[in-house]
């Protein structure tokens, strides 16, 4: 494997020197579907939003476009978990008023707040130290493939050794902190935000469905802020009417399929394990490396 990676890295460029590809409406619909199906499944939306369009010959849509259509995903998760969010917020406020800091709602709310700090800190750090992150070697297909393989092995380990004896009702602030640290790993393309947090949850002994549910709630602030920041940047740079239309269509498509994937995954994990995602991520990473080595894909 090391020899293969040395060959790949020696023969192909680390990044594409061209700018993000122009997206038409049909491509926007497809990318929205990809975003929706992969944002909340533990397989990395960032990886698929780069690999799929490149494999189809469309080019890389870029970080800004993919972050903006994530707003469709965030609307979907807000809609799906609106009752949970209302209960947590009102319960946390009531707990503060009563100084009942052991309240379940307060514990979850504080866990989400503290768990969001790591990804914000490291995200800002990357922005400051790697201003051209969109074309960074970390976003190359080789890096994405390696990250996918590594995360598949970690998820497999968590599936094997995780006790899964803690329900959603037993969540604590520390769960939010540790899953927040795991969430920050997703800043590396290919790691998957939902995948890293689900893996962390299993390592901490949470039931699969409980880990996934909290992963969705924890991701709301991070995904929202990322989408809003990139939307502001895109509007500041100025985008064409076609670009605006593609963003709108992609966002709507992402909303529909995000909602469906959330509902499906929560139901799936109530009775099934995560091995299907382990094998998929492993195959996904190996397929990318094989395609690059064979010349079918460029390492952009």
């Amino acid at each position: 494997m090391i020899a293969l990676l040395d060959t790949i890295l020696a023969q192909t460029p680390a990044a594409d020197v061209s700018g993000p590809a122009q997206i038409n409406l049909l491509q926007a619909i497809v990318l929205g579907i990809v975003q929706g199906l992969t944002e909340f499944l533990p397989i990395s939306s960032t990886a698929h939003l780069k690999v799929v369009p490149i494999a189809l010959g469309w080019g890389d849509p870029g970080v800004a476009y993919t972050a903006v259509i994530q707003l469709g995903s965030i609307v979907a998760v807000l809609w799906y978990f609106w009752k949970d969010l209302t209960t947590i917020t009102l319960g946390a406020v009531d707990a503060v008023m009563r100084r009942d800091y052991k309240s379940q709602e307060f514990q979850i709310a504080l866990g989400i707040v503290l768990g969001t700090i790591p990804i914000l800190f490291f995200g800002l750090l990357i922005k400051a130290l790697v201003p051209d992150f969109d074309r960074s070697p970390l976003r190359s297909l080789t890096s994405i493939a390696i990250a996918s393989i590594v995360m598949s092995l970690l998820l497999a380990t968590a599936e094997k050794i995780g006790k899964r004896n803690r329900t959603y009702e037993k969540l604590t602030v520390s769960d939010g902190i540790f899953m927040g640290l795991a969430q920050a790993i997703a800043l590396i393309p290919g790691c998957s935000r939902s995948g890293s947090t689900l893996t962390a949850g299993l390592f901490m002994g949470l039931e699969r469905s409980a880990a996934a549910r909290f992963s969705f709630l924890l991701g709301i602030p991070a995904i929202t802020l990322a989408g809003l920041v990139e939307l502001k940047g895109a509007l500041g740079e100025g985008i064409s009417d076609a670009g605006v239309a593609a963003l709108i269509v992609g966002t709507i498509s992402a909303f529909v399929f995000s909602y469906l994937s959330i509902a499906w995954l929560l139901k799936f994990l109530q009775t099934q394990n995560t091995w299907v995602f382990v094998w998929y991520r492993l195959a996904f990473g190996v397929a990318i490396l094989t395609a690059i080595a064979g010349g079918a894909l460029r390492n952009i």
Side-chain angles (χ1 to χ4, degrees):
M1 177 62 74
I2 295 177
L4 173 61
L5 295 182
D6 287 340
T7 301
I8 292 170
L9 292 171
Q11 292 180 349
T12 56
D16 188 8
V17 296
S18 61
Q22 183 67 40
I23 304 299
N24 62 41
L25 294 184
L26 177 60
Q27 293 169 347
I29 293 173
V30 173
L31 293 178
I33 293 173
V34 173
Q35 162 66 24
L37 293 179
T38 60
E39 177 63 47
F40 297 108
L41 299 184
I43 57 177
S44 179
S45 61
T46 302
H48 286 77
L49 281 170
K50 178 162 186 176
V51 172
V52 170
I54 289 177
L56 293 174
W58 299 347
D60 183 1
V63 171
Y65 181 85
T66 57
V68 171
I69 66 172
Q70 282 181 348
L71 292 176
S73 295
I74 200 61
V75 172
V77 75
L78 283 170
W79 191 326
Y80 192 93
F81 288 105
W82 186 253
K83 183 177 179 180
D84 297 68
L85 291 170
T86 302
T87 300
I88 291 170
T89 302
L90 295 179
V93 171
D94 181 64
V96 171
M97 297 294 292
R98 294 184 292 104
R99 296 186 179 182
D100 179 16
Y101 303 121
K102 293 184 179 180
S103 161
Q104 179 66 21
E105 291 79 10
F106 179 81
Q107 292 279 308
I108 294 176
L110 185 59
I112 291 174
V113 172
L114 296 179
T116 302
I117 294 175
I119 197 169
L120 293 180
F121 172 78
F122 289 108
L124 292 173
L125 191 64
I126 289 176
K127 283 283 187 181
L129 300 180
V130 191
D132 198 18
F133 184 69
D134 198 356
R135 302 178 187 178
S136 165
L138 282 175
R139 292 195 79 244
S140 69
L141 293 185
T142 296
S143 296
I144 286 174
I146 293 173
S148 184
I149 293 172
V150 171
M151 293 305 296
S152 74
L153 298 178
L154 287 175
L155 180 57
T157 304
E159 181 66 47
K160 288 288 288 185
I161 71 175
K163 295 181 179 179
R164 299 185 294 280
N165 57 3
R166 296 173 55 217
T167 64
Y168 178 82
E169 288 71 27
K170 294 183 179 180
L171 284 169
T172 65
V173 174
S174 61
D175 291 318
I177 295 173
F178 286 120
M179 288 183 74
L181 290 171
Q183 181 174 243
I185 298 174
L187 290 167
I188 302 174
C191 285
S192 171
R193 191 205 62 79
S194 58
S196 60
T197 50
L198 177 60
T199 299
L202 292 179
F203 272 124
M204 293 185 296
L206 291 174
E207 293 179 347
R208 299 183 187 96
S209 59
R213 184 179 175 188
F214 187 61
S215 168
F216 295 154
L217 294 171
L218 178 64
I220 290 175
I223 302 173
T224 301
L225 289 173
L228 292 176
V229 168
E230 294 298 346
L231 177 60
K232 179 181 178 181
L235 294 176
E237 295 175 2
I239 49 180
S240 65
D241 292 340
V244 172
L247 282 175
I248 294 174
V249 169
T251 302
I252 294 174
S253 178
F255 163 75
V256 173
F257 285 91
S258 290
Y259 190 93
L260 294 175
S261 68
I262 291 171
W264 177 83
L265 183 63
L266 286 176
K267 184 176 181 180
F268 177 82
L269 291 180
Q270 289 176 359
T271 58
Q272 303 296 322
N273 58 43
T274 63
W275 282 105
V276 62
F277 303 114
V278 170
W279 293 117
Y280 176 83
R281 298 203 66 174
L282 182 62
F284 182 70
V286 171
I288 294 173
L289 294 179
T290 302
I292 293 173
L297 286 177
R298 291 180 57 211
N299 182 38
I300 59 176

